[in-house]
Amino acid sequence: MQWFAYILWIALGLCFVAAILSYFYCSFIKPRRDARQADTAVVEGANDGSVAVLNEHRWQIVLAQTPYTENEVPTGTQQRLVWAVDLFGVQRGWLCGEEMPMYPCLSFHNAVGDSIDFIGKQLKNRSSLRLYVVKPEGIELDECVYEASVVLCFAAPVKYAQKTAWRYWPINVFWEWGYLPEQMQCCQILYVALMAGCDVVGVEADFNDIYDLLEGKRIPKVLQNSAVDASSVSQWNPTVFAHAGKTVTGQCDSTLSDRQLKERIQQAGWK
């Protein structure tokens, strides 16, 4: 019987400990957790039924990049997520507070031909397409200049509530001093955009803006302010760098030659 008494006392002790832990959780931990979530909107996940959270601060960043006010956009949390993702291409995970870029980058590195497919698809569904060519302020694009660099970003007008806003597609191809293969691919994308009839706009920004755009973290103000008239913000002429390609040191087999790129452009029905 002595072992039975031990078991009884152990069970009573465990119940006592469980009661203390439950009291501590209900009195301290749960109220703090609920307080942190009080100002957060919760919605169902896109596909798997999981719970997604709309980050209010990031929602305000998206809204600030548009000409719309709170009264002109969807009011429901799920509707706002869909609106930002579908209309402006913002990543859903970023809107929900996850550690990821605001925008997914178009991956044209060693795949310049994909830019032809992208432009063709966009021009079928949109009235126009613009290619921003962004370089550092006051820096000459020359092999002798270490700071010389260029970042590309497509943009297209989108309409909602009788107003026009802009959707952006940053590109991960980076024209950087001293790396000829990437420079050549950047020039080829410029060439493709011109052959397809896209507006090509050269703008300048500081280095922080350039690197943030390259990584898809945010869209620089200079691009946001060009909503209507591209000529009013065009600060330099990037078309002089456009060409169909050439053989350069370090070029890999997966890049397109001048002849291959021109053939792909002709197949697309452009010049």
Side-chain angles (χ1 to χ4, degrees):
M1 294 296 293
Q2 187 175 8
W3 60 269
F4 181 76
Y6 286 147
I7 293 175
L8 182 62
W9 280 109
I10 291 173
L12 290 174
L14 291 175
C15 290
F16 181 72
V17 171
I20 293 176
L21 292 176
S22 178
Y23 172 79
F24 181 78
Y25 173 80
C26 294
S27 299
F28 300 99
I29 298 178
K30 188 174 184 299
R32 292 180 181 179
R33 186 192 64 183
D34 293 343
R36 288 196 302 268
Q37 296 178 345
D39 60 349
T40 304
V42 179
V43 298
E44 290 185 357
N47 300 312
D48 57 4
S50 61
V51 175
V53 178
L54 177 63
N55 184 287
E56 179 62 24
H57 174 67
R58 292 185 176 181
W59 162 252
Q60 292 300 326
I61 292 176
V62 173
L63 195 62
Q65 290 187 181
T66 74
Y68 308 114
T69 65
E70 287 279 3
N71 296 329
E72 297 174 310
V73 299
T75 56
T77 302
Q78 177 65 28
Q79 289 72 25
R80 286 185 170 183
L81 278 170
V82 172
W83 183 81
V85 172
D86 291 352
L87 196 62
F88 296 105
V90 177
Q91 296 206 89
R92 181 184 178 92
W94 179 87
L95 268 172
C96 295
E98 296 179 21
E99 292 298 323
M100 63 171 57
M102 184 177 183
Y103 295 90
C105 280
L106 295 175
S107 183
F108 295 155
H109 177 68
N110 292 337
V112 171
D114 291 347
S115 68
I116 299 174
D117 299 331
F118 171 81
I119 293 174
K121 179 180 178 181
Q122 295 304 320
L123 291 179
K124 285 181 180 179
N125 300 321
R126 303 178 188 278
S127 58
S128 63
L129 187 65
R130 180 178 298 173
L131 177 62
Y132 283 107
V133 188
V134 188
K135 76 177 188 68
E137 293 176 326
I139 301 297
E140 183 181 1
L141 291 185
D142 189 274
E143 286 297 326
C144 299
V145 181
Y146 179 77
E147 296 87 356
S149 56
V150 164
V151 172
L152 304 176
C153 180
F154 280 108
V158 293
K159 290 187 178 295
Y160 180 83
Q162 307 303 316
K163 290 183 179 180
T164 299
W166 284 83
R167 175 170 180 160
Y168 301 94
W169 292 269
I171 303 172
N172 72 344
V173 174
F174 184 34
W175 195 108
E176 186 177 16
W177 177 90
Y179 191 58
L180 294 177
E182 200 87 341
Q183 293 179 12
M184 186 268 291
Q185 293 177 51
C186 187
C187 294
Q188 285 184 317
I189 294 172
L190 273 170
Y191 181 81
V192 171
L194 286 171
M195 294 300 100
C198 300
D199 295 328
V200 176
V201 181
V203 297
E204 296 185 346
D206 64 36
F207 279 106
N208 289 332
D209 286 339
I210 286 178
Y211 286 116
D212 283 347
L213 179 61
L214 177 65
E215 296 174 2
K217 292 181 178 179
R218 63 185 179 90
I219 303 300
K221 284 290 185 182
V222 66
L223 271 65
Q224 297 180 38
N225 294 337
S226 65
V228 179
D229 184 8
S231 62
S232 66
V233 297
S234 185
Q235 300 161 338
W236 67 287
N237 180 20
T239 61
V240 296
F241 291 93
H243 61 73
K246 58 185 178 181
T247 302
V248 297
T249 303
Q251 185 175 343
C252 66
D253 294 336
S254 60
T255 58
L256 293 178
S257 66
D258 171 286
R259 179 183 57 81
Q260 291 172 323
L261 187 67
K262 289 180 177 178
E263 287 178 354
R264 290 288 307 275
I265 290 174
Q266 289 178 350
Q267 292 170 3
W270 303 329
K271 297 180 181 179

